[in-house]
Amino acid sequence: GGAIPLRFLRESMHYLLHVANENLVLADGSFATKNTLVSTSDAERTFIAFRALLDADRPEDEVQSFIESNPLLLAPFAARNVFFRPWILNKYRADFGIVTSTNRLLLIEIERPSLRLMNGDGTQSAKLTHAISQTVSWNHEIIEDRRAVLRCMNGCPADITSVQFLVI
């Protein structure tokens, strides 16, 4: 009767869902977005190129550009929407904003791959402290006027359940 072979669901479900910016990892390990399907070998090439970029200790803006060009790298965050360089009330900019499948907003600050996180004596490095203080400033703005912050991110749903921060 109305049975659909599982092969078609596995290979083409992302077309049936029609959700903007939806990222799906399919059963065979391939990665799908609304308009594209990335094979496992393409994904592997992307990961190898990203690893080489990190190992080469390229500047933060080059790392950011690579991630923007290869949003597959954001798949582990279960991204429903991805924002590149989103404004936080025209005062601050995160490097990435991600609305997860559970309606959480994750604001990400990336740093140079070689950033030393800890000093020799085990204390937090000044550069890491600075990066974390940026997220504290973002959080202050969100506490003051959450609705305005969310409106500034064009396409961000108003029903965000929580806002979290990540320094990478």
Side-chain angles (χ1 to χ4, degrees):
I4 299 174
L6 289 178
R7 184 180 130 245
F8 295 119
L9 288 175
R10 186 174 60 245
E11 293 173 358
S12 303
M13 180 60 108
H14 57 287
Y15 291 108
L16 299 175
L17 295 175
H18 295 292
V19 177
N21 299 320
E22 186 73 43
N23 297 324
L24 302 170
V25 177
L26 303 179
D28 66 355
S30 61
F31 177 79
T33 65
K34 182 178 175 193
N35 298 315
T36 63
L37 181 64
V38 177
S39 71
T40 304
S41 60
D42 288 342
E44 187 173 348
R45 279 191 291 276
T46 299
F47 296 137
I48 289 169
F50 187 57
R51 183 72 215 182
L53 179 73
L54 296 177
D55 289 344
D57 191 27
R58 303 305 304 159
E60 175 186 331
D61 60 330
E62 286 185 37
V63 174
Q64 173 143 4
S65 294
F66 187 89
I67 295 170
E68 288 178 14
S69 298
N70 297 282
L72 166 65
L73 295 167
L74 300 173
F77 296 109
R80 196 178 81 203
N81 298 76
V82 176
F83 306 100
F84 301 121
R85 303 284 296 143
W87 281 102
I88 300 164
L89 290 182
N90 295 328
K91 292 182 180 182
Y92 307 103
R93 285 189 103 161
D95 290 319
F96 298 99
I98 295 174
V99 176
T100 69
S101 60
T102 57
N103 257 14
R104 290 179 296 133
L105 175 62
L106 179 61
L107 295 173
I108 300 173
E109 173 65 23
I110 64 171
E111 295 297 330
R112 185 180 189 100
S114 64
L115 174 74
R116 194 179 71 216
L117 302 178
M118 305 301 277
N119 296 319
D121 62 0
T123 59
Q124 188 171 284
S125 74
K127 291 196 180 250
L128 178 59
T129 300
H130 175 72
I132 292 171
S133 72
Q134 287 178 281
T135 67
V136 171
S137 297
W138 303 345
N139 191 45
H140 175 75
E141 297 302 328
I142 291 165
I143 290 169
E144 289 294 311
D145 198 348
R146 178 185 172 119
R147 289 174 48 188
V149 169
L150 296 178
R151 277 194 309 266
C152 281
M153 290 182 212
N154 190 21
C156 186
D159 61 344
I160 292 296
T161 57
S162 67
V163 181
Q164 297 173 324
F165 310 96
L166 179 63
V167 175
I168 300 176

